[in-house]
Amino acid sequence: MVIIMSKIVVCNQKMFLSYDEAEKISNELLKYNDENLIICPSALNMDLYSKYNIGAQDCYYEDSGSFTGEISPYHLALKGVKYVIVGHSERRCYDDDKTINKKILAAQKNKLIPILCIGESKYDRDLNRTAEVLKRQLTIGLKNVKDEIYIAYEPAWLIGKNKSLSINEIEDTCTYIRKLLKGLRISNYKLLYGGSVTDLTIENIISNKLDGYLVGKTCCDVDKLLKIIKCTKM
Ligand code: PGA
């Protein structure tokens, strides 16, 4: 019999929810809250999730200073935030791999666990460059990283769509990522998959090779999210 352990579910609420909408979800989700559930609300809605494990959706690499509009990892830690997404494909247009590396190190200095998103664009995929892109993102992004980190493999071209990669494609890529991480001497990590993880796709992508899932738009619908959570506990 195949035994599948309960998985981590990271909910990236992005910029979908107003304060009232986020409050409703926080109330409805409370009885399903556990240590494997990580909620990444918008910065404005964080106080609504104080009973949950909270992740920020990004942070800056300095603790304080004249950086208008940025969010300090130090201030996040003071607020009780435990995780921070870095290198999300929707933010990579502002940050190169070296900047993402600085953010990871700054987050870890403040005892936040970074959730590093990696993944190829459609352009790279069509040119057969997925392996090369993942290698670059991990090698530069994880330079000098020693503490715990989560890695989320998210093919950028499948974010916000209705289909995910096939289980075989996900597992092959995860095997490759684990090999790269071993070469980089990174052992204290969890490996997640994201990109159109929905109530409709989840059943087909449950895998022993993954520690969890990063859910975007669908996490803003409690019924659909609960179906995902249920599938990850079977
Ligand atoms: P999605 O987003 O689930 O809406 O595809 C995932 C993500 O952007 O992390």
Side-chain angles (χ1 to χ4, degrees), residues 61-116:
Y61 53 76
E62 297 286 351
D63 283 356
S64 109
S66 301
F67 305 108
T68 303
E70 298 290 358
I71 297 190
S72 151
Y74 172 59
H75 297 165
L76 288 172
L78 289 179
K79 280 258 177 218
V81 172
K82 295 201 178 127
Y83 300 86
V84 57
I85 296 173
V86 286
H88 191 280
S89 68
E90 286 154 14
R91 308 243 13 126
R92 278 190 180 261
C93 52
Y94 311 110
D95 295 338
D96 60 11
D97 290 303
K98 280 192 179 164
T99 306
I100 290 165
N101 174 250
K102 281 159 79 175
K103 289 185 170 189
I104 290 171
L105 294 174
Q108 290 184 331
K109 191 183 82 180
N110 286 291
K111 307 277 181 254
L112 300 170
I113 298 180
I115 303 170
L116 170 64

Side-chain angles (χ1 to χ4, degrees), residues 20-63:
D20 290 353
E21 290 163 343
E23 184 168 37
K24 194 161 170 270
I25 289 184
S26 175
N27 293 336
E28 288 174 4
L29 212 51
L30 203 53
K31 56 177 179 291
Y32 306 97
N33 188 16
D34 70 22
E35 76 282 0
N36 280 326
L37 184 65
I38 299 167
I39 309 282
C40 302
S42 82
L44 291 172
N45 295 343
M46 274 184 184
D47 63 313
L48 295 170
Y49 290 92
S50 56
K51 298 200 173 102
Y52 294 81
N53 281 322
I54 306 183
Q57 295 180 10
D58 199 2
C59 73
Y60 198 55
Y61 53 76
E62 297 286 351
D63 283 356

Side-chain angles (χ1 to χ4, degrees), residues 8 57 62 75 131 139 159 185 190 214:
I8 297 159
Q57 295 180 10
E62 297 286 351
H75 297 165
T139 307
I159 288 178
R185 297 199 185 340
K190 301 262 190 278
L214 204 169

Side-chain angles (χ1 to χ4, degrees), residues 127-194:
L127 289 176
N128 243 331
R129 293 203 303 220
T130 300
E132 186 190 319
V133 168
L134 296 179
K135 186 171 183 189
R136 189 200 71 230
Q137 291 174 338
L138 287 174
T139 307
I140 303 174
L142 295 178
K143 195 161 177 230
N144 297 324
V145 167
K146 305 221 161 31
D147 298 329
E148 184 175 18
I149 185 153
Y150 289 12
I151 310 287
Y153 170 53
E154 300 201 297
W157 52 286
L158 285 174
I159 288 178
K161 305 281 187 305
N162 286 321
K163 65 172 194 136
S164 65
L165 288 185
S166 72
I167 182 93
N168 288 342
E169 288 171 308
I170 293 173
E171 291 189 338
D172 287 351
T173 310
C174 285
T175 303
Y176 173 67
I177 291 171
R178 286 190 194 275
K179 207 173 110 201
L180 288 175
L181 291 170
K182 194 166 177 212
L184 294 169
R185 297 199 185 340
I186 303 279
S187 55
N188 192 5
Y189 70 90
K190 301 262 190 278
L191 186 54
L192 317 177
Y193 175 77

